[in-house]
Amino acid sequence: MVRSCLLIVLCFLGVLSGNAQSINDKEMVAYQAPSDKFASITLQAHKGLPRFGVPNMYREQTGGQRQGMRTVRPVRGTKTPERMEKNKLVTTGKNNLSLLVSLKYLQPFMEDLDRERLTTLTSNMSEKESNSAFLQRFLRSQVAPNLCLADECKNANQGKNEFERLRNYTSFVDNCLDPLLDWSKNVMEDDELVGYHVSMLNIGSNYDFDKKGYIAYHSLILNNIFSLKQGIGKQVVFKPEKPFEEALQNSVDRSKTLKFLLHIDEQTAERFQKEGIKRLYAVKKIKLQRSNKPMESVSKAIEFNYSHESADLELYTDEALTQHFKTLSLADLTN
């Protein structure tokens, strides 16, 4: 089970990134590698589940006091080694998760992979040869250098000549490919993954004094679940499962964006302006599922569906999601 493969780390050490420096952090989630030949995958989390969408950039926080309520907002600051290390860790984790998911859903095509020879590109390749060439390029240029730590694995795309390149490739296949394929099966087990998605609501100007709030926009397109730079293409499509989701689907514009009034009283809106809070962070719990649409070819995008686990849309004033502001209901935004 995915949940059994996820380790919730409340205070983790930099050894996950190959660094002896201790990093104190809030909640994180890690997919533990099957052996020390491979890099474990560390993700940001919220309430113990993976966090997707807008990340926490670990910026320094400033805030003020008003009526016993502290508002904290991120500010631009020096990129300290600790902050840079944490950002690198979670960016790498997101990229590598995307690779592992790609590896999982490419497995039906792995029978076309030539494990003994590097496939030469020609103008009259068969489908099997074309698949082999694609898979070899993916494994050598993306999987090996990113997911592997041992030289026998990570050097699959290296070599001064064709003989050395072939030895490095077959070393990767013989020692690392099958463990990686087995590891990928434990990601999105049962073809689903539950987590939290974070987006931003802009409230910087144009307060409506009559309606007591701001016009806000919430997109139902989630194109930032997986990394766009790693793995093969992935498409995430909203698929309503509950009545309030059907209402959301029927209320969005052509760009799949929902327009609604975000109620904020004048006193709070003025305080936000004085403190420089121009955006809120909207958090919703989602379930990502592999769609029933099969991959037509090895190079086609993998399609996923997502739905909401609840109608709650939690709003925070800080990107670290420590300062809760209010809870909206997605069901009320269509009224």
Side-chain angles (χ1 to χ4, degrees):
M1 297 293 293
V2 171
R3 294 174 181 82
S4 67
C5 296
L6 289 173
L7 173 65
I8 301 175
V9 185
L10 298 180
C11 180
F12 66 99
L13 299 178
V15 294
L16 284 176
S17 61
N19 192 321
Q21 177 187 9
S22 176
I23 300 177
N24 294 320
D25 202 311
K26 302 268 183 176
E27 209 170 60
M28 305 293 288
V29 167
Y31 289 82
Q32 294 300 105
S35 76
D36 57 7
K37 290 183 179 181
F38 311 110
S40 294
I41 297 173
T42 304
L43 305 175
Q44 288 182 342
H46 180 62
K47 298 181 181 180
L49 295 174
R51 167 179 173 165
F52 300 108
V54 178
N56 178 14
M57 299 301 294
Y58 302 107
R59 287 175 280 206
E60 294 181 1
Q61 308 288 319
T62 63
Q65 298 282 345
R66 183 177 178 85
Q67 295 181 348
M69 178 181 175
R70 178 177 170 83
T71 298
V72 182
R73 62 184 178 90
V75 297
R76 296 182 182 273
T78 303
K79 292 184 178 180
T80 64
E82 181 180 8
R83 174 185 165 190
M84 292 175 65
E85 178 66 22
K86 288 189 285 187
N87 280 327
K88 178 182 177 182
L89 189 64
V90 295
T91 299
T92 300
K94 179 179 178 180
N95 289 342
N96 287 351
L97 176 66
S98 186
L99 284 175
L100 206 59
V101 171
S102 297
L103 200 59
K104 175 186 179 76
Y105 292 108
L106 283 174
Q107 293 205 36
F109 299 96
M110 284 294 168
E111 61 185 22
D112 291 339
L113 177 71
D114 191 331
R115 292 174 171 244
E116 298 179 355
R117 293 286 185 269
L118 290 172
T119 304
T120 302
L121 292 172
T122 64
S123 59
N124 57 346
M125 300 176 70
S126 67
E127 182 179 357
K128 182 174 182 178
E129 290 172 332
S130 179
N131 287 346
S132 178
F134 181 95
L135 292 169
Q136 287 182 355
R137 185 168 59 252
F138 168 65
L139 293 171
R140 296 173 66 212
S141 65
Q142 296 197 52
V143 173
N146 289 288
L147 288 177
C148 296
L149 299 176
D151 288 342
E152 60 187 347
C153 302
K154 69 179 181 181
N155 294 329
N157 201 34
Q158 304 299 316
K160 298 178 181 179
N161 54 58
E162 59 187 305
F163 303 101
E164 188 174 336
R165 288 192 290 271
L166 178 58
R167 282 196 298 272
N168 287 339
Y169 168 68
T170 56
S171 175
F172 165 80
V173 171
D174 292 343
N175 295 286
C176 301
L177 179 55
D178 289 333
L180 282 170
L181 291 173
D182 289 339
W183 185 23
S184 72
K185 294 176 184 177
N186 294 324
V187 179
M188 293 193 68
E189 192 166 357
D190 298 326
D191 293 326
E192 67 178 44
L193 177 63
V194 176
Y196 287 91
H197 184 270
V198 183
S199 59
M200 289 190 296
L201 296 179
N202 293 317
I203 56 169
S205 60
N206 298 322
Y207 183 82
D208 191 319
F209 288 92
D210 295 325
K211 297 181 178 179
K212 307 297 182 184
Y214 292 98
I215 297 298
Y217 300 88
H218 181 68
S219 177
L220 295 183
I221 297 179
L222 306 188
N223 57 4
N224 49 9
I225 297 290
F226 298 106
S227 172
L228 299 178
K229 297 181 180 180
Q230 298 290 354
I232 61 176
K234 301 173 186 67
Q235 183 179 11
V236 179
V237 179
F238 177 49
K239 185 178 181 180
E241 293 185 353
K242 305 176 180 69
F244 79 85
E245 292 178 306
E246 294 285 355
L248 286 174
Q249 183 82 294
N250 295 331
S251 300
V252 295
D253 58 20
R254 291 183 178 180
S255 64
K256 303 297 182 183
T257 299
L258 180 70
K259 179 181 177 181
F260 67 96
L261 178 69
L262 175 61
H263 291 282
I264 299 180
D265 62 76
E266 293 182 25
Q267 184 180 19
T268 302
E270 184 177 11
R271 175 169 62 84
F272 281 178
Q273 286 199 9
K274 289 180 178 179
E275 295 178 1
I277 298 175
K278 299 181 179 180
R279 63 181 62 90
L280 298 174
Y281 297 85
V283 183
K284 58 185 182 181
K285 190 175 183 180
I286 63 169
K287 179 171 67 177
L288 191 69
Q289 292 180 299
R290 175 74 166 91
S291 74
N292 294 325
K293 184 178 180 180
M295 291 178 62
E296 297 177 358
S297 71
V298 70
S299 61
K300 292 295 184 180
I302 310 169
E303 185 173 302
F304 298 90
N305 297 323
Y306 89 89
S307 59
H308 302 88
E309 287 288 89
S310 78
D312 289 343
L313 187 66
E314 303 282 354
L315 301 186
Y316 294 81
T317 59
D318 66 321
E319 67 180 20
L321 308 183
T322 62
Q323 303 295 315
H324 185 267
F325 171 53
K326 67 190 303 184
T327 301
L328 305 179
S329 172
L330 291 169
D332 295 337
L333 300 187
T334 57
N335 294 337

